[in-house]
């Protein structure tokens, strides 16, 4: 893997810690922290999203997620509220003081999103959308780069290299499961990617156990595994009524299960002196 | 696979045959034809590209390929000549009368490319770039849709569905190898995808044995397998001097080997009464 | 792949052609021949097996297959007739003059089977059963070695090396599909393995499209692809009444479809001057 | 997954805990315990093995491992000391009071091994060697069943079902990594298999991070992930001088690193009240 430059630990020895400023003080992602990103798969209605944001705030989540532009395998599935959802998301941000993260799919949305949300997410399907990565290298916003469905570790880090070599050094890697022959789970979490990324690169890495497993009752044990393996946080889906979610209901935690997640995960982080 | 509509044979029973008009008469891709698409991986210099185009014309190829915007795993690799290469490609088109195909990566290039080239190619990495697929549904140009590196048959056909449901019914599917555990070849050709697509869908399907194998000496046997399995054509890489190619040299045929390919493949097509 | 010795073409340049003597004259497997192995997945009843053998003989098949000891994923599935089936198989052999092939799973059956059947098959699940491979190196019977479900080309050839280094040089390799993420077919045929094995090794290689695809209507196109890619033959499952087969019914051809297979495959073999 | 009977939690609700009697008191594997199995990949020399056994005893390991009959991809690799090694292993057992586990490959070794070692291991390559599984169903010894390289969860549990339906209910499952496209690590640990097995079955499950990753510096983080996800223990390779090991040196811990493993893993077990 000689092709890395800016993402490699040889190039930059110190761990990169991303800092997000909020009205409630800063939020960090990187070595020494255990950061919890939570929210519904997609922003669906104003009322539900604001309620969820308040709940997550009180339950200890650090960052709020929510899809506005949803990449869907079928063109006939719900594809997100788009710009209308952005207003709701920003209202939740103002209400709770939590930073927000959402996925960007189209370079033509870059101005709008980079001026309003705290982290720009690149989804698995766009991990090698180099047009998008080149543009994200030019903006002054952290990028959450999900691993492609069948991307090798090398390809993933080289996708991050695209953003860094454009001048934007604020990249957070997100392991979200890879595609294997096993069909019992939606994807297979590559837990080994966590210590490997930590060794090779200075960038933060988090795990998304919701997409990685596709099953809500695996989210807690896999989140624990992620933190125990050295991940800097997890990103999970939470929905008030998973059975009625417009997308990804099966993998969403209920609010009660999210509370249980916090109880089961935080002691592991404390064991390693993570904040 | 109930989610298909426009791509399925139930929706449209007759085979779709794509017709390209040229100064030398029409070129067809679809059932009953064996169409050979050939050219270098990327347009590199004017002189070499025009020479190659003339050679391929005389050797019996039907359509000319050549990359202008190259998706590369590393940001430091050669990324194509861009618009400068387009002029060279159009000169080769005028000179030989052959239709041309090139990859589109950025929706912002769509006007330029859809007005000048005969087929717009979507690469593996962008198979689920829905922003791009939505836009391609709006243009009046055939789309060559490569299968994603780890896309299931269902995901691939649903990507085609995006284009068809936008109103553009001229989609050609291209099997280009999938990612498996086997590392001896670059990818693994899923030869079974050919009869499966023919059964499920009315769309034409071709095979790209160059990218699928990554080895020039496998291109002829795999091309033969493709045609024997029922594919409507193949797309192969040819380079005057593969050792000096700026990309994909190892999988490129020399002009002499391209002639051998034609000798070894065409008799199989004739056996099935393909033109 | 420096670890090969006896299986490699460098060690033994001339193609190995396996010769089976029968009351009707010799049957060959190897370069220059297109050998068709056919029969039901398992020997089920005496009457049906003898009828099938006579049909296959008249339809032009060269070798008769039939499982006696069936490796089944579940212990509760039909596991074969065992020694009782062997008598039926040998009766079919005497009746038709066709050589027979069956799978061996237990080293303790080796004496019995090596003295009665013409080819000993090693199934996918036992490709790395080194106890069995070591013993097969000691017998004077050809071995049909199926590729393991997720065996690399190198591992497969090294499994053959076990047999050859024991002193038995009569090994026939059989590509039967590998396990990938694609679930539409039972396995994914690695068609590229055919030219690769032909290049690296002197051993014959055939393809089993029935197990590779799991779908009877893909058997003909994939058989054609195999022969076009250079395979020395195919092994297919045929059953008088696939819907009532005790195993693998979905992938079995009816007798009529077997006749169609012969009509569609033999012209390809003739094109390459194969007998 | 309706095909399970005896392995399923519906059939047997209470967790199976395997008990091994030793001169130092009982050792348990199952829910509520965190059991550490350690030792070199293969028994190489008497002196080294006895030294290692004493070290591991003092460092807190519970069970001693060591290969006698080694399944090797190439027939020319070191294949184990065989029966000679067994005497050494039993001497270490007598010296330390630790129970021992070794792999069985050949049914003809069953009498010898089942009368002398505490746990009989079935390796990945033999997970579907049904001849062996049937015989293991007849003995009164716990079986450590490794997951096959590309076995689905269902196939793995059905392999255990073979042993249970023979009458032997003492099966310990061992996740040891699955084969995927990623080549940076030897295999990919399927960490999700841990909570899934715990949910579906009553059998104990442990993880082998040494074979799963192939890299010694990943053994500690992956062991931590395993315990955090709910595994009942880990099995790791330790060697006095990994660079000179006759097999698997790259994935072996030094004694010092084994001590660090214990320091990093045991606090996680204590957090969940595991003994």
């Amino acid at each position: 893997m000689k092709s890395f430059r800016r993402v490699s630990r040889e190039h930059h020895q110190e761990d990169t810690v991303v800092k997000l400023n909020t009205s409630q003080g800063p939020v960090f992602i990187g070595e020494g922290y255990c950061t919890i990103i939570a929210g519904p798969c997609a922003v669906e209605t104003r009322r539900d999203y604001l309620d969820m944001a308040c709940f997550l705030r009180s339950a200890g989540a650090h960052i709020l997620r929510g899809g506005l532009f949803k990449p869907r395998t079928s063109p006939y599935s719900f594809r997100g509220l788009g710009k209308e959802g952005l207003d709701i998301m920003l209202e939740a941000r103002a209400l709770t003081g939590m930073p927000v993260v959402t996925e960007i799919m189209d370079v033509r949305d870059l101005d709008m999103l980079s001026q309003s949300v705290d982290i720009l997410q690149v989804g698995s399907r766009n991990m090698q959308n180099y047009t998008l990565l080149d543009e994200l290298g030019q903006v002054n916003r952290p990028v959450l780069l999900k691993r492609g469905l069948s991307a090798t570790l090398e390809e993933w880090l080289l996708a991050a290299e695209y953003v860094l070599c454009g001048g934007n050094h604020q990249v957070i890697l997100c392991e979200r499961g890879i595609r294997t022959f096993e069909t019992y789970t939606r994807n297979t979490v590559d837990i080994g990617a966590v210590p490997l990324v930590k060794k090779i690169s200075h960038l933060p890495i988090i795990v998304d156990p919701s997409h990685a497993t596709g099953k809500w009752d695996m989210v807690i044990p896999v989140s624990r595994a992620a933190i125990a393996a050295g991940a800097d946080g997890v990103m999970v889906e939470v929905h008030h009524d998973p059975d009625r979610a417009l997308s990804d209901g099966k993998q969403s935690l209920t609010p009660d299960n999210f509370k249980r997640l916090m109880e089961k995960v935080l002691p592991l982080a404390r064991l390693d002196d993570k904040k």
Side-chain angles (χ1 to χ4, degrees), chain A residues 28 30 32-35 62 232 266 269-270 272-275:
Chain A
F28 298 94
Y33 296 88
C34 176
T35 308
H62 303 98
D232 301 311
L266 295 189
R270 264 180 245 123
D272 292 340
D273 293 322
K274 288 188 176 182
K275 286 169 232 172

Side-chain angles (χ1 to χ4, degrees), chain A residues 40-42 44 72 186 210-211 214-217 219 237-254:
Chain A
C41 178
E44 295 177 359
R72 299 306 297 273
R186 182 167 171 177
S210 305
H211 284 86
K215 292 181 187 289
W216 71 266
D217 59 359
V219 169
E237 293 190 350
V238 188
H239 196 278
H240 269 100
D241 187 355
D243 291 343
R244 297 199 181 171
L246 295 178
S247 57
D248 287 348
K250 283 185 187 164
Q251 69 198 37
S252 294
L253 297 174
T254 58

Side-chain angles (χ1 to χ4, degrees), chain A residues 18-33:
Chain A
V18 170
K19 182 179 176 184
L20 306 169
N21 292 311
T22 78
S23 59
Q24 315 279 319
V27 168
F28 298 94
I29 309 176
E31 190 61 34
Y33 296 88

Side-chain angles (χ1 to χ4, degrees), chain A residues 4-271:
Chain A
F4 305 135
R5 293 185 202 168
R6 291 173 178 81
V7 301
S8 84
R9 204 168 266 283
E10 289 164 31
H11 181 87
H12 184 86
Q13 298 200 351
E14 209 180 333
D15 289 300
T16 290
V17 176
V18 170
K19 182 179 176 184
L20 306 169
N21 292 311
T22 78
S23 59
Q24 315 279 319
V27 168
F28 298 94
I29 309 176
E31 190 61 34
Y33 296 88
C34 176
T35 308
I36 311 294
I37 305 175
C41 178
V43 176
E44 295 177 359
T45 69
R46 178 174 174 275
R47 183 57 174 273
D48 286 346
Y49 196 72
L50 298 183
D51 281 355
M52 178 56 75
C54 293
F55 162 73
L56 291 170
R57 177 82 193 154
S58 69
H62 303 98
I63 299 173
L64 193 58
R65 61 155 289 154
L68 306 176
F69 302 96
K70 301 296 302 171
R72 299 306 297 273
T73 304
S74 164
Y76 308 116
S77 301
F78 170 63
R79 293 170 71 177
L81 293 186
K83 294 174 190 179
E84 184 192 336
L86 178 58
D87 294 333
I88 299 172
M89 182 171 240
L90 296 178
E91 190 177 348
R93 184 180 186 275
L95 186 67
T96 60
M98 294 170 84
V100 292
V101 54
T102 201
E103 179 169 349
I104 177 163
M105 290 172 65
D106 189 334
V107 286
R108 295 168 299 191
D109 293 334
L110 190 57
D111 276 351
M112 175 180 70
L113 292 175
S114 67
Q115 284 162 25
S116 54
V117 302
D118 300 275
I119 304 177
L120 295 161
Q121 178 180 319
V122 176
S124 289
R125 295 172 177 85
N126 281 309
M127 191 202 83
Q128 293 188 315
N129 180 337
Y130 299 126
T131 303
L132 184 57
L133 297 179
D134 278 335
E135 294 288 340
L136 288 168
Q138 309 297 322
V139 301
N140 186 23
R141 280 287 168 203
V143 172
L144 180 72
L145 180 63
K146 288 202 157 188
R147 183 178 184 177
L149 204 54
S150 70
T152 62
L153 196 65
E154 185 174 12
E155 291 167 342
W156 186 22
L157 288 171
L158 281 169
E161 186 86 22
Y162 265 84
V163 181
L164 268 71
C165 84
N168 183 353
H169 297 168
Q170 309 262 85
V171 174
I172 303 149
L173 298 164
C174 179
E175 161 67 29
R176 45 79 72 211
I178 56 174
R179 179 162 275 178
T180 69
F181 62 83
E182 177 63 79
T183 54
Y184 199 79
T185 45
R186 182 167 171 177
N187 299 291
T188 298
V189 190
D190 182 5
I191 197 74
V194 173
L196 275 175
V197 163
K198 282 283 177 186
K199 181 181 158 196
I200 298 169
S201 176
H202 52 88
L203 296 174
I205 177 168
I206 64 168
V207 172
D208 173 347
S210 305
H211 284 86
T213 65
K215 292 181 187 289
W216 71 266
D217 59 359
M218 291 176 67
V219 169
I220 293 177
V222 172
S223 294
R224 285 169 54 96
I227 300 305
D232 301 311
V234 292
M235 175 155 79
V236 298
E237 293 190 350
V238 188
H239 196 278
H240 269 100
D241 187 355
D243 291 343
R244 297 199 181 171
L246 295 178
S247 57
D248 287 348
K250 283 185 187 164
Q251 69 198 37
S252 294
L253 297 174
T254 58
D256 275 355
N257 280 323
F258 180 74
K259 283 188 206 165
R260 251 188 86 233
L261 171 103
M262 296 299 272
E263 289 165 15
K264 293 298 234 176
V265 167
L266 295 189
L268 292 171
R270 264 180 245 123
L271 211 58

